[in-house]
Amino acid sequence: MGNIVKTSMLIGMFLLSSIIYHFSPVSVAEASSVASATYETTANLRLRAGASINNKVILTIPKGKTVIVIERKGDWYKVSYNRVIGWVSGSYVKQKVTNVKTTSAIVMSTAAKRKITYETTANVQLRTGAGINYKPLTTIPKGKIVISSESKGNWHKVSYEYVINGKKRAVTGWLHSAYVREFHKYVQTSGVYYLTKKITNVYSTPDVRKVGGQLPQNIVVYSKRTVINSIGQTLYEIQWKGKKGYVLSTDVVSVQPKKFVATKYVAGKNTFLYASFGSVYGTLGIIPQGEVVITDVSIGNWYKVVYKDKTGYIFINDFAPYVESTEQHTPPSQVSDEQQNRNEMDKQENEPNKQTENDATVPPTFIEKEITGRVFLIVRSSVIRKQPDASATAVGTMAQGTFIVPTHETSNKWYKVSSQGVAGYVQSEDITEVKTGVPLDGNRNSYQFIDLRTPSSVTAQQINSYIQNYVNATKKQSVLLGKGQVFIDAGNKYGVNPLFLAAHAIHESAFGTSKLALTKYNLFGFGAYDATPFVGAYRFASVDQCIYYIAQQLKATYLNPKDYRFQGAYLGFRTNALSGTRINASSEGMNFYYASDPYWGVKIAKHMANMLAYNSNDYRSAKVNASVPSLPAIPALSDVFPNHIVAVANADLDLYINRGDREKTLTLPKGDTFLLLEKTNDFWVRIAYNEQEYWTNSIKFYEYSKYISVKNLASVTAYSLNVRSTPSTEHSPIATLSLGEYIELALDDKGELQVQNNWYKVILTDGTEGWVSGLYITRELK
């Protein structure tokens, strides 16, 4: 099946798409009620900036698309479509029929939440209830701050304070989420140093949703700006790896630079001169044990020194105050425990041989560098030695296949480890660094190791709530809303744990919000190789079809003991060398073959636990469904490409008159050019060669570049993309493309793409030529 596409990379795509269209907010007018908030377009329909045909066209909504009605003004509706808000004529929309059998309005669940601060992005009406049918209380101007502690669907209950006639007033009501964004308050400061109290997360944004990295304990950072985020947390903005980062105020403590009388310190062990006040900032050189430095400034535990004409910082815990002495030796209090142990070992080894002091062998001195978070695999039985030297005393052994997490690395490439109460060093020749999802604490009592052929007590509501909460938090579209029962039914039908099935889809499709999910209903990345994440992926007719197909497919293959892909009927883990190559002897379960990500099993198990807390009693005596269904029929769907997609053969290709033929008609030689027309789910490709159509199955999509190179195929990565008459935003759009839509990029007379300032010239299906921004497309099979 190949490597599975990692859908997390698509998150950035959706964020970008939300900024394609910008228009001035329309002033809010009294809106009349409508029967339902969900409508469907009955024709290709222009979305405008205002409630009349005189207003600017924002984009064209295709026929049959769903829009959310926010307001109504006469015959015009204010709607939200793919997170773009504007006005459409009521003549071209109709109320969408639902399966809810009730004569009353649809009831939305209310979710309490901690207080969140929002800023209004346009003039917005505050209403008495969560819907446009409710009476307006007031209009809140653009740029005002409101506080929310409750939500209901796409509506927030907020409190808004304002001043009228010199008196402070407060009003509480409901407003639509389309008109607010989370508000973070920034405060400029004069500059403060902070010391990390523990291993500290560095967040990419103040909303603390994404961790960009971590700082070790006792690292000093510098901040000139404080942020109070939308949920009231205080963070400090810092520079981190050349970018802005944010640390929580609770993780650090302020420190002030101290000036004192110049003082001498002696290195108690081999250590480093650091470029700044922290080990994460890199080193300028080595300071050997016994070397004396002078300092008169400190920040926390970091002291500024000049050593060998280089100005840097030392970690004071590696040093001791220097005591003047007439004898030239290192005071015992300044010798590290490691050095004392080494001296004692030498003394014991030299005494039996009765060597003189001049004959004694002095052990070499090595630099030790602290390391964290790196995992190694013992590739051959290894001896643990007391010192980082092959001649040092053996204190233990480690078996082949053991995982270790060393604490230090020496300059001669030995690694300090601790095993079963024994501390020592192993040589680099016996180990290799890996990425692995194995539980390093040895605990296998978790969802990661349950038999996936057992049932689950999870309910449809638990699955639905988990997905709904994500959608509410991110404001993204999802095709998985309300599909909890489908996972349960499909799992029960084929004997696959429904909780796993749902978690699997949630992980692979980013809760149903990925490009594959939204455009191909492909929730599991099935058929999507790392080389061809979009073109290679299967296309399904519906979400339900995809879920049932994968349940049957997994039970017939990865969970079938007679199939070569069966490596255990559990999620398991994978162990990769740093090159990405799988280490077979240290990989288990579905993760062995299904995904190249070594933590795939860990991630899915986490989603399972988020929906239903793990209880070992549920699986201790659970009955295993050992039935093996037949392989499901591949959905008879395909990807059809634009009319003139030019490709070059990088290898000889076998051509057939009909798809599925066994006897080839001719060979398309390497280097020849042809047109790419269609790719089916079973990886047959229809082409045009010498003005004749053929089929080929010679192209292996997991390494397509060995077989073909395509010059001018792209797909849309934004929810909606404007096509313009010139390579700029100066003129109004002439057409609109949808997420996942294939595009023909225009070629010049030399067969080269026509690109200006990252704008690509395109040819639409009706022959119209235009330009699209390269920010919102990706080239396919290039």
Side-chain angles (χ1 to χ4, degrees):
M1 152 158 179
N3 296 332
I4 302 302
V5 174
K6 305 303 172 284
T7 57
S8 59
M9 67 181 67
L10 297 174
I11 295 174
M13 173 193 78
F14 293 119
L15 295 176
L16 283 172
S17 69
S18 67
I19 62 172
I20 298 178
Y21 305 104
H22 298 274
F23 53 91
S24 300
V26 182
S27 60
V28 178
E30 179 65 32
S32 59
S33 63
V34 292
S36 173
T38 304
Y39 282 69
E40 181 180 354
T41 58
T42 59
N44 292 343
L45 180 58
R46 291 173 178 171
L47 185 72
R48 297 180 180 273
S52 77
I53 60 174
N54 297 324
N55 287 281
K56 177 183 176 182
V57 175
I58 301 168
L59 58 88
T60 299
I61 305 174
K63 178 182 178 181
K65 297 297 182 180
T66 298
V67 296
I68 306 300
V69 174
I70 300 171
E71 292 183 22
R72 179 177 178 178
K73 186 187 292 184
D75 293 329
W76 289 80
Y77 290 87
K78 192 170 192 179
V79 302
S80 174
Y81 171 67
N82 286 347
R83 299 174 69 181
V84 180
I85 296 173
W87 293 82
V88 298
S89 171
S91 302
Y92 302 100
V93 293
K94 65 179 180 180
Q95 183 177 343
K96 203 167 184 180
V97 178
T98 68
N99 293 324
V100 181
K101 296 181 179 180
T102 175
T103 57
S104 60
I106 297 174
V107 179
M108 297 176 287
S109 60
T110 302
K113 59 184 179 182
R114 56 182 170 180
K115 291 184 177 180
I116 300 178
T117 304
Y118 290 100
E119 180 182 19
T120 57
T121 58
N123 296 342
V124 57
Q125 286 185 338
L126 188 70
R127 297 179 179 272
T128 57
I132 61 174
N133 297 328
Y134 290 92
K135 179 182 177 182
L137 293 170
T138 187
T139 297
I140 304 177
K142 177 183 178 182
K144 296 299 181 180
I145 304 302
V146 296
I147 308 296
S148 173
S149 58
E150 187 178 338
S151 65
K152 185 184 294 185
N154 291 322
W155 292 78
H156 297 308
K157 187 175 184 179
V158 304
S159 60
Y160 168 57
E161 293 186 353
Y162 59 100
V163 177
I164 185 169
N165 297 328
K167 294 183 179 181
K168 184 180 290 187
R169 304 286 187 184
V171 61
T172 299
W174 294 81
L175 54 73
H176 198 278
S177 61
Y179 295 99
V180 292
R181 62 187 173 197
E182 290 189 24
F183 176 74
H184 309 305
K185 183 179 180 180
Y186 293 84
V187 179
Q188 205 71 25
T189 63
S190 57
V192 181
Y193 293 96
Y194 295 97
L195 180 71
T196 57
K197 297 188 292 186
K198 59 181 182 179
I199 296 175
T200 298
N201 288 335
V202 180
Y203 297 97
S204 301
T205 53
D207 58 19
V208 300
R209 289 194 177 102
K210 181 180 179 182
V211 177
Q214 289 187 321
L215 292 170
Q217 186 178 3
N218 290 322
I219 297 297
V220 177
V221 294
Y222 181 70
S223 175
K224 297 182 69 175
R225 194 153 73 152
T226 299
V227 187
I228 301 174
N229 68 12
S230 62
I231 58 175
Q233 295 171 309
T234 299
L235 300 99
Y236 303 121
E237 183 179 289
I238 64 171
Q239 286 297 314
W240 169 248
K241 294 184 178 180
K243 299 180 180 179
K244 290 179 182 178
Y246 301 86
V247 296
L248 285 167
S249 61
T250 52
D251 291 341
V252 296
V253 60
S254 63
V255 290
Q256 295 297 326
K258 296 181 180 179
K259 184 79 174 176
F260 47 86
V261 176
T263 304
K264 291 183 179 181
Y265 286 86
V266 62
K269 64 178 183 179
N270 296 319
T271 185
F272 294 96
L273 177 68
Y274 294 92
S276 191
F277 25 73
S279 57
V280 296
Y281 296 110
T283 61
L284 300 176
I286 296 172
I287 302 178
Q289 180 182 351
E291 196 77 359
V292 177
V293 295
I294 301 174
T295 178
D296 61 358
V297 175
S298 70
I299 304 175
N301 292 325
W302 297 89
Y303 286 61
K304 188 176 183 179
V305 302
V306 177
Y307 181 71
K308 290 187 176 180
D309 298 325
K310 294 181 180 178
T311 301
Y313 291 81
I314 60 172
F315 186 51
I316 199 60
N317 291 14
D318 295 342
F319 291 77
Y322 177 71
V323 179
E324 299 287 350
S325 173
T326 56
E327 297 184 22
Q328 299 300 311
H329 67 83
T330 303
S333 62
Q334 298 167 21
V335 179
S336 65
D337 292 340
E338 182 182 315
Q339 187 65 44
Q340 292 183 39
N341 292 337
R342 187 183 294 133
N343 292 342
E344 184 64 27
M345 181 186 69
D346 290 339
K347 180 179 179 181
Q348 294 172 358
E349 291 178 351
N350 291 333
E351 280 181 352
N353 297 324
K354 297 183 180 179
Q355 291 177 315
T356 66
E357 185 178 346
N358 292 334
D359 292 331
T361 301
V362 179
T365 299
F366 300 107
I367 306 298
E368 277 193 3
K369 180 181 179 181
E370 184 178 358
I371 58 175
T372 58
R374 294 171 64 185
V375 181
F376 292 76
L377 177 68
I378 303 292
V379 294
R380 64 183 184 187
S381 295
S382 181
V383 176
I384 305 174
R385 298 192 179 275
K386 191 173 184 179
Q387 302 296 336
D389 187 273
S391 61
T393 304
V395 295
T397 60
M398 300 192 93
Q400 179 179 347
T402 304
F403 292 94
I404 60 173
V405 183
T407 59
H408 294 78
E409 179 184 18
T410 68
S411 56
N412 63 333
K413 296 301 178 183
W414 285 67
Y415 291 83
K416 191 172 186 179
V417 299
S418 178
S419 175
Q420 298 180 347
V422 176
Y425 299 82
V426 294
Q427 60 183 348
S428 60
E429 290 82 0
D430 295 343
I431 63 178
T432 185
E433 188 170 1
V434 298
K435 302 291 185 182
T436 181
V438 68
L440 296 174
D441 61 0
N443 179 23
R444 291 189 168 219
N445 187 20
S446 70
Y447 278 127
Q448 193 178 350
F449 296 95
I450 68 164
D451 195 314
L452 299 176
R453 299 169 297 175
T454 54
S456 171
S457 62
V458 71
T459 66
Q461 181 59 42
Q462 288 171 315
I463 298 172
N464 291 338
S465 294
Y466 186 52
I467 297 168
Q468 184 68 63
N469 289 341
Y470 177 86
V471 171
N472 290 345
T474 61
K475 310 303 181 189
K476 293 180 180 178
Q477 297 181 50
S478 171
V479 296
L480 282 182
L481 291 176
K483 294 297 181 180
Q485 192 60 46
V486 181
F487 287 111
I488 292 174
D489 294 343
N492 291 340
K493 179 176 181 178
Y494 294 107
V496 178
N497 187 289
L499 179 60
F500 150 69
L501 198 60
H504 188 181
I506 287 167
H507 171 68
E508 298 290 355
S509 69
F511 290 82
T513 69
S514 71
K515 179 181 177 183
L516 282 181
L518 293 173
T519 60
K520 290 189 171 186
Y521 298 125
N522 190 326
L523 307 170
F524 299 85
F526 202 79
Y529 301 106
D530 288 345
T532 53
F534 188 68
V535 175
Y538 275 30
R539 187 178 293 274
F540 292 91
S542 68
V543 170
D544 293 20
Q545 182 192 45
C546 177
I547 294 172
Y548 274 86
Y549 179 92
I550 294 300
Q552 184 177 353
Q553 173 73 222
L554 294 181
K555 193 64 183 302
T557 54
Y558 292 90
L559 302 180
N560 175 11
K562 295 183 179 180
D563 190 272
Y564 77 92
R565 286 160 287 197
F566 181 86
Q567 299 294 321
Y570 50 91
L571 289 167
F573 57 89
R574 176 165 159 152
T575 300
N576 289 346
L578 294 187
S579 64
T581 303
R582 182 183 62 232
I583 300 175
N584 291 349
S586 298
S587 302
E588 303 175 18
M590 276 189 66
N591 206 161
F592 187 100
Y593 278 120
Y594 196 91
S596 59
D597 179 4
Y599 311 106
W600 178 83
V602 177
K603 294 171 181 176
I604 291 181
K606 184 176 180 181
H607 283 299
M608 294 171 72
N610 287 342
M611 285 183 279
L612 180 64
Y614 176 73
N615 185 340
S616 60
N617 293 328
D618 294 342
Y619 297 95
R620 187 166 289 126
S621 58
K623 185 177 179 180
V624 173
N625 184 323
S627 65
V628 178
S630 61
L631 284 170
I634 298 174
L637 297 170
S638 62
D639 286 19
V640 178
F641 305 115
N643 295 330
H644 199 77
I645 301 302
V646 181
V648 177
N650 296 334
D652 292 347
L653 303 179
D654 294 337
L655 301 186
Y656 304 82
I657 292 296
N658 300 303
R659 171 186 167 203
D661 283 355
R662 294 187 177 183
E663 292 185 9
K664 70 176 182 180
T665 303
L666 56 89
T667 298
L668 192 159
K670 176 181 178 180
D672 274 16
T673 299
F674 60 94
L675 296 182
L676 190 69
L677 303 178
E678 180 182 5
K679 170 255 165 191
T680 65
N681 277 347
D682 57 356
F683 299 105
W684 279 84
V685 177
R686 184 167 59 92
I687 69 168
Y689 177 60
N690 290 337
E691 300 184 356
Q692 174 70 42
E693 286 192 7
Y694 299 94
W695 289 88
T696 180
N697 63 351
S698 297
I699 303 168
K700 310 304 178 188
F701 280 79
Y702 54 83
E703 50 183 7
Y704 79 88
S705 60
K706 290 184 178 181
Y707 302 92
I708 60 171
S709 296
V710 177
K711 292 186 175 183
N712 62 331
L713 178 65
S715 66
V716 178
T717 59
Y719 279 123
S720 188
L721 178 59
N722 283 334
V723 181
R724 299 183 184 271
S725 57
T726 60
S728 71
T729 58
E730 292 180 1
H731 300 285
S732 297
I734 59 174
T736 305
L737 302 173
S738 302
L739 176 67
E741 188 171 348
Y742 287 115
I743 318 170
E744 178 186 343
L745 304 178
L747 299 173
D748 61 19
D749 293 338
K750 297 180 180 179
E752 301 293 331
L753 294 174
Q754 300 185 54
V755 187
Q756 294 185 29
N757 297 323
N758 202 31
W759 283 76
Y760 285 76
K761 191 173 185 179
V762 299
I763 301 175
L764 304 182
T765 54
D766 62 359
T768 301
E769 294 185 352
W771 295 83
V772 297
S773 171
L775 295 174
Y776 308 110
I777 63 171
T778 185
R779 290 185 58 194
E780 304 286 0
L781 304 175
K782 62 181 179 179

